[in-house]
Each structure stands twice: as structure tokens, then as C-alpha cells.
């Protein structure tokens, strides 16, 4: 069975510092991988996705994630965070065409 | 271009009452998914519907829960005789068609509190 592990429930980081949010998955088949962001009191928004091709994918607001098949990881990174990045970030893997399997989420806390 | 809409945003019910959660998908989307998020947990898939059809309800509890997506109107997730353990955030998502059904757009959620 597929599963997604986000080891860190919270990641505090100073503003303008780099950050990495970790995501590991288990799957014996090809997967599609996603990062979603949930701002306070809002729904989830798709941040970026890996479907195929280049293993490094980027979002429009400076985040990037790298698919590493040998380590079964899809960590999310940003070189310099802003206070507006405060949110909860969820990693997900597509189990089938539609059924997403979710990690427990990581709260990104930006310290001024 | 309105996104996925859910109402109510917050719902309080006493034990034993019924809860009805509504979801209007994005314009042009014919596929709807319901997820439940318990505190400190990720989302759990509940059900996948197309218009007038339940495609996959493998994540739905066998009793008290039902979902529909009628030809006209929003999708409804119905919980009968609610219990405290039903307290959670319920998210609806939609996608445009059978291609790329993993590209789902989410609503803001309904936070159900059972007292």
C-alpha cells in the first residue's frame, strides 16, 4: 500500500532563511507527486506537481521540489522564505488516477 | 471564475442530528471528491462522484454516511446521527474530466463540530 510520510509536524524558520520540508513516500509503482499549501482558514491550493520528465519542479512563488526515486523522496525547498509563506504544507501521492494519499502536513512557521 | 464552493463553512450539530455539507464544483468540472481531515492528520479520501454516479466510495464509513451528486445542483455529503468522532474538516475537490483526475481543485472546507 502506498503511504506518505512528513516527518516534521512544524518547521520554524527565520524570515529570509532557507527552508526544506521533507516528504517521503512508499510505492512499488510509478507515482504522481504533489505539494499542496493550506493558508489559515482556507482550502488547499496546488503548489507544484511531479508527473514525469524533469525531476526538479518549480512553483511560481519560489518553491521547488525534487523527485528522488532512489530515496523515494519529494522534498520541498525555498531559498528565502517570507512571512506570507506561513501555512501548512501537504505532500500527496496519487494512488490511482484520482485517489490521493496524503501526508499529515507540516506547519511552516516564519519568525520575524 | 469561481472556484470550488462549499457551504456552510462551519457547522455545529448535537449528537444524533443530521449534517448536510454542500459542494459546488468549479464551472465545467463534472467530477467531485470528498475528503475528511481529522485534527493533526492528513486528508483521507472518502468518495468520488460524477454526475448521478458514485464511482468509488471505498473511503466512506459503511453506516450513517452518504453522498450524492445530482444532475442539477451541488454535491451533498450527508451524515446521519452524528457522533463526536465525526467532528472534522470536510473538503470537497473537483476535476474537469477523466483525464488527469489527480489534478484536483479544493474548496475551503466545512468544519463540522459535534457537541
Amino acid at each position: 500500500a502506498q503511504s506518505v510520510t512528513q516527518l516534521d509536524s512544524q518547521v520554524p524558520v527565520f524570515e529570509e532563511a532557507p527552508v526544506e520540508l521533507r516528504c517521503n513516500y512508499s510505492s512499488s509503482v510509478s507515482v504522481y507527486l504533489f505539494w499542496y499549501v493550506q493558508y489559515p482558514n482556507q482550502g488547499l491550493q496546488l503548489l507544484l506537481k511531479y508527473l514525469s520528465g524533469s525531476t526538479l519542479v518549480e512553483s511560481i512563488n519560489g518553491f521547488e521540489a525534487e523527485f528522488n526515486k532512489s530515496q523515494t523522496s519529494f522534498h520541498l525547498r525555498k531559498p528565502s522564505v517570507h512571512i506570507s509563506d506561513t501555512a501548512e504544507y501537504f505532500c500527496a501521492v496519487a494512488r490511482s488516477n484520482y485517489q490521493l494519499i496524503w501526508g499529515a502536513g507540516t506547519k511552516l512557521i516564519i519568525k520575524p | 471564475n469561481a472556484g470550488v464552493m462549499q457551504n456552510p463553512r462551519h457547522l455545529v450539530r448535537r449528537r444524533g442530528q443530521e449534517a448536510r455539507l454542500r459542494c459546488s464544483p468549479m464551472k465545467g468540472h463534472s467530477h467531485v471528491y470528498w475528503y475528511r481531515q481529522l485534527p493533526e492528520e492528513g486528508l483521507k479520501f472518502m468518495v468520488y462522484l460524477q454526475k448521478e454516479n458514485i464511482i468509488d466510495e471505498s473511503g466512506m464509513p459503511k453506516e450513517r454516511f452518504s453522498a450524492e451528486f445530482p444532475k442539477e445542483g451541488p454535491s451533498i455529503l450527508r451524515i446521519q446521527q452524528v457522533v463526536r468522532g465525526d467532528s472534522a474538516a470536510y473538503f470537497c475537490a473537483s476535476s474537469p474530466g477523466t483525464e488527469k483526475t489527480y489534478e484536483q481543485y479544493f474548496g475551503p472546507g466545512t468544519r463540522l463540530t459535534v457537541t
Side-chain angles (χ1 to χ4, degrees):
Chain A
Q2 291 177 330
S3 66
V4 177
T5 303
Q6 291 181 252
L7 285 171
D8 305 306
S9 60
Q10 290 188 42
V11 172
V13 62
F14 285 105
E15 197 169 11
E16 298 184 8
V19 69
E20 178 180 84
L21 306 183
R22 296 180 292 169
C23 172
N24 288 87
Y25 67 93
S26 65
S27 174
S28 58
V29 298
S30 298
V31 294
Y32 303 134
L33 295 157
F34 306 85
W35 276 99
Y36 281 80
V37 57
Q38 185 178 25
Y39 297 104
N41 298 314
Q42 294 187 29
L44 291 96
Q45 301 174 30
L46 179 62
L47 187 61
L48 45 75
K49 62 191 176 191
Y50 170 77
L51 305 179
S52 64
S54 173
T55 57
L56 185 65
V57 291
E58 298 176 354
S59 72
I60 57 172
N61 57 353
F63 282 94
E64 64 179 31
E66 185 161 18
F67 169 55
N68 188 319
K69 189 174 182 179
S70 62
Q71 296 185 4
T72 59
S73 68
F74 191 55
H75 300 331
L76 182 70
R77 302 184 183 95
K78 188 169 185 180
S80 175
V81 295
H82 189 267
I83 195 77
S84 60
D85 294 322
T86 298
E88 189 159 16
Y89 293 79
F90 292 90
C91 182
V93 58
R95 176 178 173 180
S96 61
N97 259 357
Y98 54 86
Q99 204 175 119
L100 293 170
I101 309 298
W102 298 82
T106 298
K107 289 186 174 70
L108 179 58
I109 300 165
I110 311 298
K111 299 184 286 186
Chain B
N1 185 14
V4 178
M5 294 191 289
Q6 289 187 251
N7 65 80
R9 294 290 304 276
H10 300 274
L11 181 61
V12 180
R13 285 286 178 266
R14 291 200 185 103
R15 278 180 297 171
Q17 291 184 318
E18 178 180 287
R20 280 183 173 242
L21 288 63
R22 294 174 186 77
C23 169
S24 296
M26 283 182 72
K27 188 176 181 181
H29 286 193
S30 57
H31 296 235
V32 166
Y33 315 81
W34 285 94
Y35 293 86
R36 176 164 64 176
Q37 183 182 30
L38 294 169
E40 306 304 319
E41 294 186 21
L43 281 73
K44 297 287 193 294
F45 169 80
M46 298 181 76
V47 62
Y48 165 32
L49 309 110
Q50 295 178 22
K51 288 278 188 183
E52 300 184 282
N53 278 313
I54 296 174
I55 306 303
D56 181 353
E57 56 181 349
S58 59
M60 288 273 274
K62 294 286 186 281
E63 297 176 352
R64 303 187 296 109
F65 284 72
S66 62
E68 61 175 7
F69 188 17
K71 188 176 180 181
E72 301 291 338
S75 174
I76 306 285
L77 178 67
R78 184 179 175 207
I79 312 172
Q80 295 178 291
Q81 299 176 325
V82 295
V83 301
R84 288 237 171 94
D86 296 332
S87 295
Y90 292 83
F91 289 94
C92 168
S94 71
S95 67
T98 50
E99 294 290 320
K100 300 182 181 179
T101 47
Y102 44 75
E103 291 198 22
Q104 298 171 16
Y105 297 82
F106 283 78
T110 293
R111 280 156 180 83
L112 172 65
T113 302
V114 179
T115 62

